[in-house]
Amino acid sequence: QVQLVESGGGLVQPGGSLRLSCATSISGSIFSLYAMGWYRQAPGKERELVATITGGGTTNYADSVKGRFTISRDNAKNTVYLQMNSLKPEDTAVYYCNAKYQYLPKMYDYWGQGTQVTVSS
């Protein structure tokens, strides 16, 4: 059973920074095949994409976080990170880690339990 465990959330003032981590139980050589992502869900809203990174390091960001957030991965540690700078109150949400790998005909799709990020003065 694959496990994804997020950490690093908390309460931060507007303009502050947080670094989220997602440690996975995906075995080393396989982890690099997975596309990893961070999503978030604010109260009363649908879950939305924040950022993704392929095994080769290609990144993609939601327009709302471009220039402020940076996704990265350490394939040796089977871990993905989200560095969040210049945080705004609208970034308040539960942040979820996701791992995806398609090996036809199967799609492997795993989620963490989430970590709360609250941006407030």
Side-chain angles (χ1 to χ4, degrees), residues 5-40:
V5 180
E6 301 99 335
S7 61
L11 173 64
V12 63
Q13 292 187 341
S17 298
L18 282 175
R19 188 193 195 205
L20 305 183
S21 299
C22 173
T24 81
S25 64
I26 301 170
S27 61
S29 60
I30 303 298
F31 177 75
S32 63
L33 300 177
Y34 276 77
M36 301 298 298
W38 287 96
Y39 293 72
R40 67 187 180 187

Side-chain angles (χ1 to χ4, degrees), residues 42-61:
K45 295 188 176 181
E46 293 188 354
R47 191 173 296 189
E48 64 176 3
L49 170 73
V50 175
T52 61
I53 185 168
T54 67
T58 300
T59 58
N60 180 55
Y61 296 93

